[in-house]
Amino acid sequence: MERHYTTREVCEILGITNRTLRRWIKEGKIRAVNIGGRWRIPESEIKRILGQPVEEIRTPRAARVVIYARVSGANQKKELENQVEALKKYIEQNNWELVAVVKDIASGLKEDRRGLWKLIEMAKKHEFDVLLVAYRDRLTRFGFKYLEELFKAYGIKVVVAFQEPPKDFYQELVEDLIKIFTSFVSRIYGKRSHKYKKVVEAVEQTIKDP
């Protein structure tokens, strides 16, 4: 029985984008079969276009990796660069291919981080295979599994390089916790109320006390 390739596999073999492949299918330049609602390309079609066996064209390639590094404040830029350098060494050790470095200076609680949305857009275009972060909370403070499943849906594996964050990340976590509390309190009392200010001061003091 003839083998059928996925559109992603065909794009890699032919060196074309998914958009180009779909246009070829629509224009009849390449024969495709709809299997279970998804296009599949017969091996004979790939051979016809290439003029040689698929096995001679398909060569193993290194995983394409995007580094994502994040810190909460502008005063942590040195830590941001340390993350990037450590992850570059990690890539070298695994013989992977670095295709991009995406950085954010924003709280891990924020959902509208520019870098995070850039990752999602790149994932939609299948521009990388592995998303590499130093620690789980660099990607997000909460909901790591949801983002992991999102990237998995695009065929991308999220890899956490290191298991334990350094001790200086404690201060960043404290700041995030304060933001959570102040957000709830502001909704209850309003930011201008006297009660709001007293509660926020008490929360900050409680969390920061060793």
Side-chain angles (χ1 to χ4, degrees):
M1 184 176 179
E2 184 176 19
R3 177 177 176 180
H4 288 72
Y5 291 82
T6 65
T7 54
R8 182 177 180 181
E9 289 174 326
V10 174
C11 287
E12 291 179 359
I13 295 170
L14 300 181
I16 60 176
T17 64
N18 187 268
R19 180 178 297 180
T20 297
L21 178 59
R22 291 187 179 278
R23 189 179 75 249
W24 286 6
I25 293 172
K26 185 177 181 180
E27 295 174 353
K29 292 182 178 180
I30 187 170
R31 183 169 61 87
V33 180
N34 193 311
I35 301 176
R38 297 180 182 276
W39 289 115
R40 295 291 184 266
I41 314 300
E43 186 171 26
S44 57
E45 276 295 282
I46 303 174
K47 289 180 179 179
R48 178 182 65 80
I49 293 173
L50 295 174
Q52 54 186 309
V54 176
E55 291 76 13
E56 295 179 14
I57 295 297
R58 297 195 71 180
T59 55
R61 62 169 174 76
R64 299 168 301 167
V65 183
V66 168
I67 285 175
Y68 178 67
R70 182 190 65 78
V71 292
S72 290
N75 61 333
Q76 296 175 299
K77 287 184 178 179
K78 184 177 180 181
E79 167 57 31
L80 188 67
E81 295 308 317
N82 288 342
Q83 285 181 45
V84 173
E85 290 306 311
L87 293 175
K88 283 182 177 179
K89 291 180 181 178
Y90 190 92
I91 289 173
E92 290 178 5
Q93 292 170 359
N94 287 276
N95 295 316
W96 290 342
E97 176 191 356
L98 175 62
V99 297
V101 175
V102 179
K103 305 174 187 177
D104 264 324
I105 299 179
S107 168
L109 300 173
K110 289 187 66 176
E111 297 177 347
D112 59 346
R113 281 172 274 154
R114 183 178 299 178
L116 179 59
W117 282 104
K118 181 178 180 180
L119 289 176
I120 294 173
E121 289 302 315
M122 292 177 69
K124 290 178 181 178
K125 298 174 183 176
H126 302 290
E127 294 181 1
F128 61 104
D129 308 304
V130 174
L131 172 57
L132 182 64
V133 296
Y135 308 99
R136 287 169 63 101
D137 63 2
R138 296 305 85 195
L139 185 59
T140 182
R141 283 292 184 194
F142 303 104
F144 179 87
K145 283 293 182 182
Y146 294 111
L147 284 178
E148 187 177 39
E149 285 299 314
L150 172 65
F151 286 109
K152 185 178 179 181
Y154 291 110
I156 295 165
K157 182 179 181 181
V158 178
V159 174
V160 179
F162 314 112
Q163 297 304 312
E164 294 295 332
K167 292 182 179 180
D168 57 0
F169 276 37
Y170 171 77
Q171 180 60 35
E172 187 177 329
L173 178 59
V174 167
E175 292 172 0
D176 282 342
L177 288 173
I178 291 174
K179 288 177 183 177
I180 293 173
F181 279 110
T182 54
S183 175
F184 280 113
V185 173
S186 67
R187 292 184 182 184
I188 297 172
Y189 298 113
K191 289 186 177 181
R192 295 184 180 180
S193 73
H194 180 65
K195 286 185 177 180
Y196 167 79
K197 293 178 181 179
K198 289 188 66 175
V199 172
V200 169
E201 289 175 0
V203 168
E204 289 180 347
Q205 188 61 42
T206 301
I207 293 178
K208 290 181 178 179
D209 279 344

